[in-house]
Amino acid sequence: MSLDDYSERILAPCINNLAGAIAADIMSGVDGGVCNLVSNTDSNGNIISPILTTFLNAGATLDINSAPTGRRKIVQDPFTQARTVGSLSGLLNPITDISRQYTTGTMQQAVGFEWMMDQTVLKHTTGTFTAGTVNGAGQTGLTLTVNAITGTLALGDIITIANVNAVNRITKQTTGQARQFVVTAAAAGSATSLSIYPAIVPPVGGVQVQYQTVDSSPANGAAITLATPASSVFRKNIAFTPEAITMATADLVLPQQGIVEGARESFDNISMRMITDYTVGTDQLITRLDVLYGYLYVRPEWAVAIADAI
């Protein structure tokens, strides 16, 4: 009739599940707006596990997009973390960091990032897209008109357009690398319109403009290419700077009467409420935990998806 260690045995697992549900929701935004992707591939173009250069390229991508330095983070799937610790342990020099990696089995700090692990990292399945071309020159904005595509595009797929390169966000000069766009709404086979991010913002009359994202608008008939193999399945680990994503919580109402007990606390700016009440019909004490939250990818370009094979 009694329960020992209630906090450890009951509350802690419940809070972990609640936190995991919130994390999974926020992580879903990686498919909804993160337009940068780096990957390591084999000779056939298939995605394989990331290596040191892959993570360095993620940092370079953040640099090109003018992301702040100093507090950059990488969140990895447990299996990606296991592979990374094993592959990079012999390349890192600081004895203290190597020791912590060995004793904890986790990455610590390396190549400009603080490393973390989370089980909610997305597993992405690329659409069946095999071919598509732009329909109409001079297009701008978040919608791209195309000739009927062959195959499908999934939410979160990354595409490039022939001869449309990214620009340095400060100098507006071309990086010489294809601008990546994320598909923000799934497109069925034969679709003639694609929703993308970032918006296509080219120079006007050869003159640089504010918020410019590309060195030129797509030409009519320009080929569209998937950044990952069609129908491929891979983990979307994420490298980001904290300013890329915002999460906010609000204090929920805490009843003063009609409950057995209740509490509301804030930890790391996350407000959580716990209420326990008696249900006479089933002779139970019911406890519920709630967090009222919202999130927004404020600057998705300050995040990079790091692909890893399943």
Side-chain angles (χ1 to χ4, degrees):
M1 299 296 290
S2 64
L3 180 62
D4 296 329
D5 302 324
Y6 178 74
S7 294
E8 290 185 18
R9 296 172 60 185
I10 304 299
L11 281 185
C14 289
I15 291 173
N16 185 60
N17 287 343
L18 179 59
I22 295 172
D25 186 20
I26 296 174
M27 197 67 76
S28 68
V30 177
D31 263 352
V34 174
C35 53
N36 304 308
L37 181 138
V38 294
S39 62
N40 182 30
T41 58
D42 62 17
S43 59
N44 295 317
N46 298 310
I47 294 172
I48 56 178
S49 294
I51 58 176
L52 179 62
T53 302
T54 315
F55 298 112
L56 292 174
N57 285 338
T61 301
L62 293 178
D63 290 336
I64 287 295
N65 283 280
S66 303
T69 60
R71 297 193 301 142
R72 294 178 178 178
K73 304 178 187 298
I74 288 178
V75 179
Q76 299 185 103
D77 177 271
F79 286 101
T80 303
Q81 175 179 257
R83 296 167 182 173
T84 303
V85 172
S87 64
L88 300 188
S89 59
L91 300 178
L92 304 176
N93 292 321
I95 295 175
T96 302
D97 288 342
I98 294 175
S99 176
R100 288 203 299 265
Q101 288 179 30
Y102 180 78
T103 56
T104 65
T106 62
M107 290 293 295
Q108 300 293 316
Q109 288 185 317
V111 295
F113 292 97
E114 178 185 354
W115 301 61
M116 295 169 286
M117 179 277 295
D118 198 278
Q119 302 94 321
T120 62
V121 167
L122 295 181
K123 279 76 173 176
H124 181 80
T125 301
T126 308
T128 61
F129 177 90
T130 56
T133 55
V134 173
N135 184 0
Q139 295 188 50
T140 61
L142 293 167
T143 302
L144 181 65
T145 301
V146 297
N147 298 301
I149 64 173
T150 303
T152 63
L153 287 168
L155 170 70
D157 280 352
I158 304 294
I159 62 172
T160 58
I161 306 170
N163 300 316
V164 177
N165 292 331
V167 295
N168 182 291
R169 299 304 292 271
I170 295 177
T171 67
K172 307 300 188 295
Q173 298 298 311
T174 180
T175 65
Q177 296 180 315
R179 171 72 261 183
Q180 293 180 329
F181 300 91
V182 62
V183 176
T184 57
S190 300
T192 57
S193 179
L194 304 180
S195 298
I196 58 173
Y197 182 89
I200 298 173
V201 183
V204 176
V207 178
Q208 299 171 356
V209 297
Q210 191 177 24
Y211 306 125
Q212 184 176 326
T213 58
V214 295
D215 61 354
S216 64
S217 182
N220 182 45
I224 299 169
T225 305
L226 262 176
T228 55
S231 302
S232 57
V233 183
F234 60 93
R235 298 180 176 91
K236 267 193 176 182
N237 306 284
I238 180 173
F240 65 100
T241 184
E243 291 84 356
I245 310 166
T246 289
M247 173 186 170
T249 65
D251 289 341
L252 287 163
V253 173
L254 184 61
Q256 300 299 314
Q257 295 180 339
I259 60 173
V260 175
E261 60 182 359
R264 186 181 61 212
E265 295 289 340
S266 180
F267 180 74
D268 281 351
N269 295 319
I270 297 176
S271 179
M272 178 180 292
R273 181 191 66 183
M274 183 188 81
I275 293 178
T276 298
D277 203 0
Y278 180 70
T279 302
V280 65
T282 56
D283 193 26
Q284 291 176 303
L285 280 175
I286 305 297
T287 297
R288 63 176 293 157
L289 297 163
D290 295 279
V291 174
L292 177 62
Y293 73 96
Y295 71 92
L296 179 67
Y297 279 66
V298 182
R299 287 184 175 269
E301 64 273 20
W302 285 358
V304 184
I306 303 174
D308 182 23
I310 297 295

